[in-house]
Amino acid sequence: VEETLSASGKVGSAETQTYYAPVGTIVQALNVKEGDAVHKGDVLVTFDTEDLELTKKKADLDAEASEGSYQSALQQSNENQNKYSDASIGLDELKQMKEDQEQYVQGLKYELEDDKNAKRKDLNECDKKLMQEQNYQNRKLSEQQAYGGDTESISEVIDNINSQRADVANQLSMIDSDEKILQKQRMIDAEQKKLEDMQEEIQKRESKKDSSENGILNGYDKKSKEASVESTRLNADQAASDLEKAQEGIIADFDGIISGIKTAAGSRVEKGSELFTIQSSSAVQVTVELSKYDLEKVKEGQSATVTVAGVSYSGTVSRINRVAQNNAQNTPVTIENPDGNIFLGIEGKAEILTGSAEGVVLVPYEAVNTDKEGDFCYLVKDGAIVRQNVVTGISSDTDVEIKEGISEGDTVVISSDMDLMEGLQVNPVMQ
């Protein structure tokens, strides 16, 4: 016995796909109309790519310029890093040498001043002695003049002293011209020149260090420039991708019917805007409504026979909708081998095979009675009517499965013109 459930519904596609504009541009050609049948691989839309080609070219140039600018900045940064390193190497040691040289030169200056003071002291001591001798000779000359003595030899001595004092005075005024002093001064000048050279070299290095340091990319600058390069490269990649998508156009992914066209040839579309929908013509289903009483019988995967426009097709219950609408469940039955005779949107009927059993006890549908105690049948045993409670199983339009209560070969009352009761004597007419 086979149990079926009949239900009607609309024929629709089990697979639909809405197509959107992959880029923002002008639709060059729309090769389909509403309701057209298309095949997988058909070119449905072509786009004008002129603006996208210009956009890609500009994006490529921007990316090239950004990369060039970054590489140039990186090279300059590396050069400045080398200059900074060159200027820094030995700079601290040079500064220490300069401090040592300053102390050395200052020491020489102190020594020079000490030598001058010593020379000046010696000459002053000599002049002091000469002056004392001069005073003594002057007194002696006065005494000789008073007594009429010999003054000529004393005068000669005084003249000689005056000459010596004049020589001492000349030496005092010419101390800086003394050869030893001059030698020491020349040494100081030479060491001072070394000190000045050191100072000049330090200033050059510090200036080079400061100027090169400003040209070295720090971590943040480098990341910023790398991000800029990456951004322009991504823009170029996106422009190339957009151009490639536009050149490909819109291609059908499967056989189907065009519906819901939202654009036209010559119109400009924005990226992501809806173009049209394809409803598959090879994945077709009839969506039927089931009442809450039918749900316990229908399961996913059950076989069905679908009739569309007088033609029958094999089908399968593909899904049970878990959300009720208007107190009914929308259940799609997939048509396994659709052909060109099927049109989407028309009425279809599904006969769902909800159960089957073989080798079971069957009775005609009209033989089963029901009262408050449950299902039962009237049997004829030994020429008398007997009530027999039964447990039923699945049923078709004509027969009911009896799981318990009746065995094969029992005589079952199908119909009678009289009211039946237990114990009534009857003569059954076999059918």
Side-chain angles (χ1 to χ4, degrees):
V1 64
E2 291 185 344
E3 183 178 60
T4 60
L5 176 67
S6 297
S8 298
K10 282 189 176 182
V11 178
S13 177
E15 180 181 5
T16 63
Q17 180 170 336
T18 299
Y19 289 79
Y20 301 89
V23 293
T25 186
I26 295 173
V27 176
Q28 187 176 62
L30 180 63
N31 302 325
V32 292
K33 298 186 295 297
E34 190 85 15
D36 280 356
V38 297
H39 299 286
K40 180 179 180 180
D42 287 350
V43 178
L44 309 180
V45 179
T46 58
F47 297 103
D48 186 340
T49 61
E50 183 177 356
D51 289 345
L52 295 172
E53 289 171 356
L54 291 175
T55 300
K56 178 183 180 301
K57 186 174 182 180
K58 182 179 182 303
D60 289 340
L61 291 174
D62 289 343
E64 184 178 352
S66 180
E67 177 66 25
S69 175
Y70 171 69
Q71 292 299 332
S72 176
L74 194 60
Q75 181 177 350
Q76 291 179 3
S77 177
N78 292 335
E79 291 175 355
N80 284 319
Q81 182 63 61
N82 292 334
K83 290 179 181 179
Y84 182 86
S85 299
D86 290 342
S88 300
I89 293 175
L91 181 59
D92 292 339
E93 290 80 358
L94 184 59
K95 289 181 179 180
Q96 184 60 50
M97 290 174 61
K98 184 202 114 179
E99 292 180 3
D100 295 342
Q101 185 69 9
E102 286 176 341
Q103 294 179 5
Y104 179 59
V105 170
Q106 187 62 46
L108 291 178
K109 288 181 179 180
Y110 288 151
E111 290 180 4
L112 177 61
E113 192 62 30
D114 290 343
D115 290 346
K116 287 182 180 181
N117 290 333
K119 181 73 174 178
R120 193 175 289 110
K121 181 178 179 181
D122 290 344
L123 289 174
N124 287 330
E125 288 292 332
C126 179
D127 183 65
K128 182 178 179 181
K129 291 179 180 179
L130 288 173
M131 185 176 64
Q132 290 176 349
E133 180 64 25
Q134 183 183 38
N135 291 336
Y136 171 73
Q137 294 296 333
N138 284 333
R139 289 195 300 271
K140 188 175 178 181
L141 178 62
S142 297
E143 290 175 357
Q144 292 296 327
Q145 288 175 347
Y147 293 105
D150 182 14
T151 60
E152 182 176 355
S153 60
I154 295 173
S155 296
E156 289 178 354
V157 172
I158 291 173
D159 291 340
N160 185 45
I161 291 173
N162 286 333
S163 176
Q164 289 184 46
R165 288 195 68 189
D167 183 58
V168 169
N170 182 60
Q171 289 186 51
L172 282 171
S173 64
M174 298 293 291
I175 285 179
D176 290 340
S177 300
D178 182 79
E179 184 60 30
K180 290 183 178 180
I181 298 299
L182 287 175
Q183 288 181 358
K184 176 107 18 162
Q185 185 62 54
R186 284 194 288 271
M187 180 184 293
I188 292 173
D189 292 342
E191 296 301 326
Q192 182 65 37
K193 180 63 170 59
K194 290 181 181 179
L195 178 61
E196 292 171 356
D197 290 344
M198 289 179 183
Q199 181 62 39
E200 183 179 359
E201 178 65 18
I202 289 172
Q203 290 176 349
K204 286 181 179 179
R205 289 197 180 193
E206 288 184 334
S207 176
K208 183 178 179 180
K209 183 179 175 182
D210 292 340
S211 62
S212 60
E213 185 176 18
N214 293 330
I216 298 174
L217 292 176
N218 59 38
Y220 296 107
D221 291 337
K222 189 174 181 181
K223 285 184 178 180
S224 176
K225 290 185 178 297
E226 288 174 347
S228 178
V229 170
E230 180 67 13
S231 177
T232 56
R233 186 188 65 78
L234 289 175
N235 288 338
D237 290 345
Q238 184 62 55
S241 176
D242 288 347
L243 178 59
E244 182 179 358
K245 291 175 181 177
Q247 290 171 338
E248 290 176 356
I250 300 296
I251 298 173
D253 292 322
F254 49 82
D255 295 349
I257 308 299
I258 297 296
S259 65
I261 294 179
K262 305 292 186 182
T263 187
S267 63
R268 173 171 287 278
V269 293
E270 298 300 325
K271 185 176 182 178
S273 61
E274 184 177 342
L275 300 177
F276 51 80
T277 298
I278 296 181
Q279 299 185 58
S280 174
S281 57
S282 58
V284 180
Q285 63 187 19
V286 175
T287 301
V288 298
E289 288 189 358
L290 300 179
S291 70
K292 61 182 179 180
Y293 304 105
D294 299 327
L295 285 177
E296 62 182 23
K297 298 179 181 180
V298 179
K299 303 291 185 294
E300 291 183 9
Q302 287 176 340
S303 299
T305 299
V306 180
T307 303
V308 180
V311 180
S312 295
Y313 303 89
S314 297
T316 304
V317 177
S318 55
R319 185 169 61 88
I320 303 296
N321 193 336
R322 300 299 175 182
V323 179
Q325 297 180 354
N326 298 323
N327 206 31
Q329 298 291 101
N330 291 327
T331 299
V333 178
T334 300
I335 299 175
E336 295 179 356
N337 296 299
D339 55 27
N341 295 318
I342 295 180
F343 294 89
L344 303 180
I346 67 175
E347 189 80 10
K349 181 179 179 182
E351 292 283 341
I352 303 172
L353 180 60
T354 58
S356 65
E358 294 182 359
V360 296
V361 175
L362 298 178
V363 298
Y365 192 83
E366 58 269 24
V368 179
N369 304 284
T370 302
D371 63 12
K372 63 181 181 180
E373 295 181 6
D375 295 331
F376 66 94
C377 292
Y378 287 116
L379 303 184
V380 177
K381 291 185 177 181
D382 299 328
I385 296 295
V386 177
R387 174 189 170 115
Q388 178 63 51
N389 292 332
V390 296
V391 176
T392 61
I394 63 175
S395 61
S396 66
D397 291 339
T398 59
D399 297 310
V400 178
E401 176 191 4
I402 303 299
K403 292 184 174 182
E404 296 180 10
I406 296 177
S407 301
E408 183 179 0
D410 286 347
T411 300
V412 179
V413 177
I414 297 175
S415 64
S416 174
D417 294 334
M418 63 178 70
D419 292 333
L420 300 178
M421 63 181 64
E422 283 194 287
L424 182 66
Q425 296 292 315
V426 297
N427 184 21
V429 178
M430 305 300 293
Q431 292 186 355

